[in-house]
Amino acid sequence: MLTDLAHIKLADRPLIVCDVDDVVLQFATPFEAFLLERGLTLLPRSFKLTGNIVDATARALDAAAVKDLIHDFFVEQERWQTPFAESVDSLNALAVEADLVFLTAMPPRHAEIRRRLLDRLTLSYPMISSEDPKGPIVAALHENRPLPVAFIDDMVSNLHSVHEHVAECALVYMPPDVAIFRHAPEPEPPVQKAQDWTEARRLIEAHFHC
Ligand SMILES: [Mg+2]
């Protein structure tokens, strides 16, 4: 199952738990293009999708319609989603000395497609697909091992969740360079912000070797 932890076997080395959407694979930018193809526009008025996706008459779609759109996008993700610059090379380099686990917050029914897309990109690392809070999941993976652990995400709430449950975890915030993220909340220390994958890799390697 791609939705539980049982299939993940860690070695005696550091652990990196990494989000996928808008961290490894672009989400916001291709989702906007997907919307445009359907005559819809995402207005960067606040940090949420519901209320900001409008049709040609400027009417905002309701929550159910937005959920359906995200579903359709994930079904078609192989057509739309591409990796960020340096993400594949950085992850493969980090995975030489650490175990890497993808923790993707997409509905589990899309997990097989996501698995196939990551595999095609040479990112054949274990993946968990879950919409539950990320902190308890990272804690269950790490199990208080006396080894370094790091977590990368573009959502401040996920980083704070992991901080609450795994106090020693290095936390890397990597927001995509898209307009709607200008409304995103700022992370609290000890979360560190990375501009790109080169910086994220440097922060994680520094944590592993400190
Ligand atoms: Mg994400």
Side-chain angles (χ1 to χ4, degrees), residues 1-10 15-21 99-112 114-115 118 123-142 151-153 158:
M1 280 290 289
L2 294 170
T3 51
D4 65 36
L5 308 185
H7 73 290
I8 295 178
K9 301 277 176 278
L10 300 179
L15 170 65
I16 300 167
V17 181
C18 185
D19 179 38
V20 178
D21 284 301
D99 279 318
L100 178 61
V101 176
F102 291 120
L103 178 50
T104 187
M106 72 192 328
R109 66 182 183 277
H110 303 303
E112 293 292 342
R114 170 61 43 96
R115 179 71 272 170
L118 292 172
L123 298 174
S124 302
Y125 306 103
M127 182 188 96
I128 302 161
S129 168
S130 172
E131 293 179 289
D132 292 338
K134 291 194 174 183
I137 296 174
V138 175
L141 280 171
H142 176 54
F151 175 72
I152 315 167
D153 208 288
N158 292 334

Side-chain angles (χ1 to χ4, degrees), residues 17-178:
V17 181
C18 185
D19 179 38
V20 178
D21 284 301
D22 267 340
V23 170
V24 178
L25 299 176
Q26 303 216 28
F27 175 83
T29 299
F31 187 62
E32 283 194 68
F34 164 89
L35 293 175
L36 280 178
E37 197 175 88
R38 294 175 177 226
L40 302 167
T41 307
L42 175 62
L43 301 175
R45 299 185 289 205
S46 60
F47 191 58
K48 57 187 179 130
L49 295 176
T50 302
N52 290 328
I53 297 174
V54 298
D55 64 16
T57 68
R59 186 185 63 87
L61 275 62
D62 64 20
V66 171
K67 199 173 169 193
D68 288 346
L69 282 168
I70 293 170
H71 168 78
D72 290 351
F73 179 79
F74 280 141
V75 169
E76 294 181 29
Q77 61 181 284
E78 289 164 294
R79 193 183 139 211
W80 293 101
Q81 293 195 267
T82 55
F84 284 96
E86 306 298 330
S87 65
V88 173
D89 287 352
S90 301
L91 286 164
N92 285 335
L94 286 165
V96 170
E97 67 166 328
D99 279 318
L100 178 61
V101 176
F102 291 120
L103 178 50
T104 187
M106 72 192 328
R109 66 182 183 277
H110 303 303
E112 293 292 342
I113 301 175
R114 170 61 43 96
R115 179 71 272 170
R116 197 164 68 211
L117 178 51
L118 292 172
D119 286 345
R120 197 185 303 145
L121 293 166
T122 75
L123 298 174
S124 302
Y125 306 103
M127 182 188 96
I128 302 161
S129 168
S130 172
E131 293 179 289
D132 292 338
K134 291 194 174 183
I137 296 174
V138 175
L141 280 171
H142 176 54
E143 288 187 307
N144 292 316
R145 303 180 318 156
L147 289 163
V149 54
F151 175 72
I152 315 167
D153 208 288
D154 65 307
M155 290 290 175
V156 167
S157 56
N158 292 334
L159 290 152
H160 290 172
S161 169
V162 172
H163 182 56
E164 268 175 41
H165 290 86
V166 188
E168 69 273 32
C169 187
L171 302 164
V172 178
Y173 175 53
M174 194 157 47
D177 186 17
V178 293

